[in-house]
Amino acid sequence: MAAVVQVPKSAKALVLRKAAQATKPVYHDAVLEEQPIPALKPGQVLVRIHAAAFNHRDHWIRKGMYPGIGFGSVLGGDGAGVVIASGEKDDSLLQKRVFLVPMRGWERDPEAPESPFYILGGGKANPLGTFAEYVVVERDQVILTPDHLDDVHAAAWPIGAVTAWRATMVNGAVKQGDNVLITGIGGGVALVALQLCVARGANVYVTSGNQEKIRKAVELGAKGGVSYKADDWPVQLGALLKKNGAAHLNVVIDAGGGDILGKTSGILKQGGRVVVFGMHTSPKVTMTMREVLKNQKLLGSTMGSKQDLIDATQFLTQHRIVPIVSDVLDGLESAEQGFQILERGDHFGKVVIRIVPDSPRTFPVKL
């Protein structure tokens, strides 16, 4: 029996539905629906979602470009709010601010998931998603929100955090004094990677096709950046490194794929790492004998474990990092505007829906 009696019987949620009208390219519907709230079982809690954040994954799902799409499931993988009811009597989580663990199947193994892995939102493996007023979730699949974050910024944290933490700190092994390149600055994961590396004491350089995004990255602590639209951007980056007294890069954190290893090999130290967490440019990464002879390492990195997310959150708390939020929209009814922002691609940071209007608003950004 639930520890809190007054529980709503239904709630609004943004549900993925197959496109009602055939379009080319395909773009499936995101429909705001009223759904029943299931009765709580032992070990479950009811979270009132105060804020939920977009990821490019949500956009790709609607485009039919993501595996394991589940029509009828709720969209959204990132969300934060308050535990208002529990299937356990006198649960210590009641009335606590939390954010949801956004994936399942990977608890703590340092190498890879222990069981079939999936991310919440829009998938057939689990109908659960965060673009909802309330969600029922296992109590061990929420994490206490750090006190220095409001719900909007807490919602902007989980997926970007676990991905960036594993890419930079686990696979990239970034340490104080390292020279790190983060490509495609402006997206949620790249920005968290920047904040983590700066807080670690690394010297961070960035690429972007937008000079304004490079300028903003420098304001957040980057040493500088170059435009990837220039054919000679690796040469420009090498000159920037030299200007700052650096001989080479130690680590590259990349989401583009393609010839990233070939382009950076000349300015990457022997034994240096290139960590690829996405392939927005090309679905292949080229590696030649030149990189082999330099002992340069190419590492794939996808999401991370619940333990990685816990470690990242402890680091965030220690350094009082606040995730970068680009746009805050009010109400699930504004979700389509969020998808349009993702399509334009000119945002700098996360796009967040504030679901509860009276939830706390913002805190200043700190690194």
Side-chain angles (χ1 to χ4, degrees):
M1 185 174 179
V4 173
V5 177
Q6 294 181 336
V7 172
K9 296 187 181 301
S10 65
K12 292 179 181 178
L14 195 69
V15 178
L16 178 69
R17 297 294 179 189
K18 191 169 184 177
Q21 296 182 343
T23 59
K24 290 186 179 181
V26 67
Y27 200 61
H28 296 301
D29 297 333
V31 182
L32 193 58
E33 300 179 0
E34 191 81 14
Q35 293 194 332
I37 297 176
L40 292 172
K41 299 176 182 178
Q44 292 182 330
V45 293
L46 179 65
V47 180
R48 185 188 189 195
I49 299 293
H50 286 183
F54 286 87
N55 290 280
H56 282 288
R57 175 180 177 272
D58 303 309
H59 195 36
W60 294 333
I61 284 172
R62 291 190 65 185
K63 289 184 173 184
M65 297 172 62
Y66 205 88
I69 292 174
F71 296 115
S73 61
V74 178
L75 289 160
D78 279 332
V82 174
V83 175
I84 66 162
S86 174
E88 306 285 346
K89 186 178 181 181
D90 300 324
D91 194 327
S92 61
L93 285 175
L94 283 169
Q95 303 307 316
K96 295 293 177 60
R97 297 173 59 239
V98 299
F99 61 85
L100 273 63
V101 176
M103 66 283 175
R104 299 291 186 272
W106 197 354
E107 287 294 312
R108 60 183 309 114
D109 190 292
E111 299 296 333
E114 300 94 346
S115 57
F117 179 84
Y118 63 87
I119 304 170
L120 300 185
K124 62 184 179 183
N126 189 328
L128 178 64
T130 59
F131 287 177
E133 293 176 321
Y134 296 87
V135 299
V136 173
V137 64
E138 299 86 351
R139 71 180 309 280
D140 63 352
Q141 296 300 319
V142 298
I143 295 173
L144 293 174
T145 296
D147 290 340
H148 76 284
L149 292 187
D150 64 14
D151 293 321
V152 165
H153 290 85
W157 174 244
I159 287 179
V162 71
T163 305
W165 179 264
R166 188 161 187 85
T168 57
M169 302 303 160
V170 179
N171 288 323
V174 172
K175 61 185 183 298
Q176 184 176 359
D178 278 355
N179 299 308
V180 180
L181 171 64
I182 300 173
T183 65
I185 202 68
V189 175
L191 284 172
V192 175
L194 167 63
Q195 292 177 291
L196 293 175
C197 290
V198 169
R200 180 70 90 188
N203 305 306
V204 180
Y205 299 83
V206 301
T207 68
S208 175
N210 184 314
Q211 287 296 333
E212 179 64 11
K213 291 184 178 182
I214 293 175
R215 184 190 68 77
K216 289 180 178 179
V218 171
E219 289 182 353
L220 290 170
K223 297 295 184 182
V226 296
S227 173
Y228 59 65
K229 293 181 179 179
D231 291 337
D232 67 339
W233 71 259
V235 175
Q236 293 182 28
L237 181 59
L240 186 57
L241 285 164
K242 186 176 181 181
K243 179 182 176 181
N244 289 336
H248 49 242
L249 294 169
N250 300 84
V251 183
V252 177
I253 307 296
D254 176 66
D259 194 27
I260 183 63
L261 190 55
K263 288 179 178 177
T264 58
S265 178
I267 53 175
L268 182 65
K269 66 170 285 189
Q270 292 195 54
R273 295 175 170 86
V274 174
V275 181
V276 178
F277 67 87
M279 292 193 178
H280 299 164
T281 301
S282 170
K284 293 182 180 180
V285 178
T286 304
M287 187 173 190
T288 70
M289 195 62 191
R290 176 181 62 176
E291 290 79 50
V292 173
L293 292 173
K294 291 182 178 181
N295 289 293
Q296 291 172 339
K297 301 171 182 65
L298 175 63
L299 300 167
S301 189
T302 299
M303 290 287 287
S305 67
K306 178 184 170 184
Q307 186 60 53
D308 288 330
L309 183 54
I310 292 170
D311 293 343
T313 304
Q314 290 173 345
F315 187 86
L316 166 133
T317 302
Q318 177 187 353
H319 294 277
R320 297 188 69 80
I321 295 170
V322 177
I324 308 303
V325 172
S326 173
D327 298 87
V328 180
L329 312 173
D330 282 314
L332 288 169
E333 296 82 2
S334 66
E336 200 60 42
Q337 183 182 347
F339 284 108
Q340 291 169 4
I341 293 171
L342 294 184
E343 177 65 23
R344 291 199 305 270
D346 56 2
H347 55 293
F348 187 84
K350 298 286 280 190
V351 180
V352 180
I353 296 177
R354 185 167 42 227
I355 297 172
V356 176
D358 58 354
S359 62
R361 292 199 170 241
T362 58
F363 289 111
V365 172
K366 295 181 181 179
L367 292 174

